Amino acid sequence: MEPAHQNRRLAAILFADVVGYSRMMAADEAAALDALNQHRADEFDPVVIAHNGRVVKLMGDGALVEFASVVDAVHCALAIQIAAAGTAGIKLRIGVNLGDIILQGDDIYGDGVNIAARLEPLAEPGGICVSSVVHESIRGRIEAVFADGGLVEVKNIDRPVRIWRWHSGGATVAAPVPARGSEGPSLAVLAFANMSGDPEQEYFADGIAEDIITDLSKVSGLTVIARNSSFVYKGRAVDLRAVGRELGVGHVLEGSVRRAGQRVRVTAQLIDAATGAHLWADRYDGDLADVFGVQDAVTLQIVAALKVRLSPVERAAIARAGTANPQAHDAFLRMRTLHFSPGMNKEMWTRASEHGLRAIELDPGYAEALGHMSVFQWLDWFNGFSGDAPDVIAARANALAVQAIAADPEDTFANLGVGVAARWVGDLDVAVQAVAKALAHSPDAGLPLLLSADLALCFGRHAEATAFMERAIRLDPELSHYALQWLGQARFLQGHFETAALTFRERILLVRDTDLGRGWLAAALGQLGEVAEARSVWADLMSIKPDFRMAPRLIRFRYQRPEDPALV
């Protein structure tokens, strides 16, 4: 994995500083320090946590905070300042920026951080100053009005920065902004260690962990990171507290699987990612035929340890087994492991398909296997693994999806299979209904979120697409290279060209040979009047793919509003 992929990401950065703190210290050092500590404990820290932020570090009377969502960052800043308005307590200046950051241990660096730090002094006492890229991103999504502060020169930044200001005492307040509720306990499930002494059993250990992730993602009171992201730590000696910081979760589950003949032993332990403390640990032994019962027991213990209340529907969804046939389940695990393996090629796709067909042969009513097989036919459609014509592949995918829905109308992947098939043949209304049902059953599943964003883009619901993409990136950072493409398109089609350009640049950092990302970046730069840079990006694109044309790509997106492709 490239270092840039490991150590860089797009983030919203909040920088806060106490107004007049030096004067307070000169008057009464002990009282000033007590007031600052009380403010952080009672006001600042709880609001940051409620808005899903992470305090990166404290610097005397200042604080640097990171957010995955720019909307969360600005909501947090507003909540802090509105609560302090009219009181005699500590007053802050706050600056917020959206940009590329570099991660080093617990700390973050880069222009994104530097600009946030330079914006903070430009805010009024009790006010907020944001960059234009932040203002673009929150426009229409936050009930507060920011005044244009014009272009300003900031120290150590080689270009002017356009700023926007808000203050609680001025005419720029549209309405009080309520603090958004916390997303609830958050969790990453790491790949379980294979203790069977047989490397061939790796797929089985992975499958147990992934089934637990799938079940936990059905619980509305939990936020569960997708397997694509939590499995990147597989085989590595890791500090679980570092895992928590990197994935933005409060808890980490690790475990092991030992399979011997028809017996299975699963051990698991739940860790508080902030402290490294063990919250719960247990061991489960059972027959291979009862592996679903073992998985359910682990899942329910995690939910209980995190004090999350299950609805009857969620409890029933966790208890629902996809098949009663252990051989069919084993074939399904082999298929799924190959499908999600990096570097998919023709051989891997063929082997995965053979395992999937075996699972369906053993249990023709195995909805999850049918749904997976349907969805992953589209890898063949895009890559030509089977050599079949696209219409033949599409018909096969649709037939599998129909079988999956007939077997279990509530299965997440069955509904996703129907949605994907309908989307690519152009039946968008059917696609929307099916994907909404998949997402209702598994609100933390990355693929339904990606497809929901794609469909929202098709219909011109750009703010909705942006929200889906931001959620997908939060839950599955390893899918960012896909999500950033659609997120950039949503911002572009909203007319947020500076934010779109930033997003496409971030995608290029992750996928250095992307032709589509460069095409959209050139279009965004053109809209910003950056003609020389747009031509340079286009020249890079032509060196990568000389026959690239934007028009056929736009047709494939199936935009329903004529003005959307016309804007590009």
Side-chain angles (χ1 to χ4, degrees):
M1 188 176 297
E2 296 180 359
H5 192 136
Q6 291 178 318
N7 301 323
R8 305 179 75 102
R9 66 167 172 248
L10 194 66
I13 304 98
L14 181 153
F15 201 96
D17 198 58
V18 177
V19 177
Y21 189 69
S22 297
R23 185 176 65 252
M24 294 165 61
M25 289 288 284
D28 189 333
E29 186 174 294
L33 186 58
D34 284 346
L36 177 60
N37 289 335
Q38 195 72 37
H39 171 78
R40 284 173 174 163
D42 295 346
E43 299 177 43
F44 190 83
D45 289 354
V47 175
V48 167
I49 291 169
H51 292 83
N52 310 312
R54 175 177 80 91
V55 176
V56 177
K57 60 184 174 183
L58 302 172
M59 300 154 289
D61 59 329
L64 175 63
V65 188
E66 175 198 357
F67 297 82
S69 162
V70 68
V71 173
D72 279 352
V74 177
H75 267 146
C76 180
L78 287 163
I80 290 168
Q81 299 294 45
I82 288 174
T87 70
I90 280 179
K91 299 289 185 184
L92 300 176
R93 290 187 177 91
I94 296 178
V96 182
N97 186 40
L98 174 67
D100 187 48
I101 63 171
I102 302 167
L103 288 81
Q104 281 189 5
D106 293 344
D107 216 340
I108 59 176
Y109 303 91
D111 269 4
V113 178
N114 296 338
I115 292 174
R118 304 305 180 203
L119 293 175
E120 174 268 312
L122 302 176
E124 298 176 46
I128 304 165
C129 181
V130 305
S131 60
S132 62
V133 74
V134 168
H135 189 254
E136 275 193 349
S137 298
I138 65 173
R139 198 164 60 200
R141 303 171 68 191
I142 286 182
E143 295 180 3
V145 178
F146 285 74
D148 189 349
L151 287 169
V152 298
E153 299 284 344
V154 294
K155 185 179 178 182
N156 295 332
I157 302 298
D158 61 3
R159 62 191 182 281
V161 175
R162 191 174 197 90
I163 64 169
W164 297 77
R165 291 190 178 100
W166 175 94
H167 188 266
S168 61
T172 55
V173 180
V177 180
R180 199 186 80 166
S182 169
E183 62 182 10
S186 52
L187 174 71
V189 179
L190 302 186
F192 280 18
N194 172 26
M195 305 298 289
S196 302
D198 178 6
E200 291 296 319
Q201 295 299 314
E202 203 73 26
Y203 78 92
F204 188 76
D206 287 351
I208 296 289
E210 188 164 346
D211 281 345
I212 291 170
I213 292 172
T214 299
D215 282 344
L216 288 170
S217 72
K218 298 172 183 176
V219 180
S220 59
L222 272 178
T223 294
V224 185
I225 297 297
R227 61 94 65 197
N228 290 326
S229 297
S230 58
F231 274 35
V232 300
Y233 301 96
K234 182 177 178 178
R236 292 163 48 187
V238 294
D239 179 345
L240 297 182
R241 290 171 296 182
V243 172
R245 289 192 300 270
E246 290 171 13
L247 295 180
V249 295
H251 306 86
V252 178
L253 182 78
E254 63 174 0
S256 65
V257 176
R258 184 186 299 277
R259 177 177 173 180
Q262 296 301 305
R263 297 289 294 172
V264 177
R265 169 173 291 176
V266 177
T267 62
Q269 54 183 355
L270 185 65
I271 309 297
D272 184 318
T275 65
H278 289 64
L279 300 179
W280 161 84
D282 212 337
R283 184 182 77 188
Y284 300 86
D285 292 290
D287 292 329
L288 187 61
D290 191 36
V291 69
F292 300 115
V294 172
Q295 291 168 179
D296 291 352
V298 174
T299 301
L300 293 173
Q301 287 282 11
I302 294 166
V303 170
L306 295 176
K307 298 180 173 57
V308 174
R309 186 185 298 274
L310 281 177
S311 71
V313 172
E314 290 167 343
R315 188 174 291 275
I318 290 171
R320 184 188 296 122
T323 179
N325 187 318
Q327 287 77 33
H329 182 244
D330 189 83
F332 169 72
L333 294 184
R334 292 178 187 269
M335 172 190 70
R336 187 174 62 184
T337 296
L338 283 164
H339 274 158
F340 285 119
S341 296
M344 173 64 71
N345 56 34
K346 180 178 180 178
E347 180 189 356
M348 293 167 65
W349 185 88
T350 302
R351 286 167 51 209
S353 298
E354 289 170 353
H355 290 307
L357 291 172
R358 174 66 174 157
I360 295 166
E361 178 187 350
L362 290 166
D363 184 353
Y366 197 169
E368 191 173 9
L370 287 161
H372 267 271
M373 282 287 286
S374 173
V375 170
F376 285 97
Q377 294 304 306
W378 298 102
L379 289 175
D380 185 20
W381 195 77
F382 281 110
N383 296 287
F385 292 141
S386 69
D388 292 335
D391 58 337
V392 173
I393 298 169
R396 185 164 61 231
N398 188 62
L400 286 162
V402 169
Q403 285 180 262
I405 283 291
D408 184 355
E410 305 305 313
D411 184 79
T412 298
F413 256 84
N415 282 284
L416 187 61
V418 170
V420 174
R423 187 262 183 268
W424 286 110
V425 299
D427 197 345
L428 299 184
D429 290 330
V430 169
V432 167
Q433 294 174 13
V435 175
K437 193 169 184 180
L439 201 56
H441 288 298
S442 298
D444 284 354
L447 288 176
L449 284 166
L450 283 172
L451 192 56
S452 297
D454 177 33
L455 290 166
L457 273 182
C458 291
F459 284 101
R461 298 196 293 267
H462 305 130
E464 183 181 331
T466 298
F468 278 129
M469 279 301 96
E470 289 176 345
R471 181 68 174 163
I473 292 170
R474 161 75 180 105
L475 294 170
D476 199 345
E478 285 297 303
L479 285 180
S480 290
H481 58 296
Y482 295 116
L484 286 169
Q485 180 64 45
W486 281 317
L487 184 58
Q489 289 174 210
R491 288 167 169 168
F492 183 101
L493 296 172
Q494 287 175 287
H496 300 171
F497 302 119
E498 185 176 353
T499 317
L502 176 66
T503 306
F504 290 124
R505 285 193 178 100
E506 178 72 7
R507 172 162 163 74
I508 291 169
L509 279 173
L510 296 178
V511 186
R512 297 191 181 278
D513 62 349
T514 173
D515 52 4
L516 190 58
R518 281 180 170 81
W520 282 85
L521 175 56
L525 292 169
Q527 292 283 356
L528 291 168
E530 304 286 347
V531 177
E533 189 177 356
R535 287 174 176 164
S536 175
V537 170
W538 191 263
D540 287 343
L541 167 57
M542 289 294 101
S543 69
I544 293 169
K545 190 168 185 179
D547 62 346
F548 178 88
R549 297 292 181 272
M550 186 67 95
R553 300 296 188 98
L554 295 176
I555 291 170
R556 196 174 78 182
F557 284 117
R558 299 185 185 278
Y559 292 127
Q560 300 300 289
R561 302 193 323 163
E563 59 266 38
D564 284 346
L567 185 62
V568 185

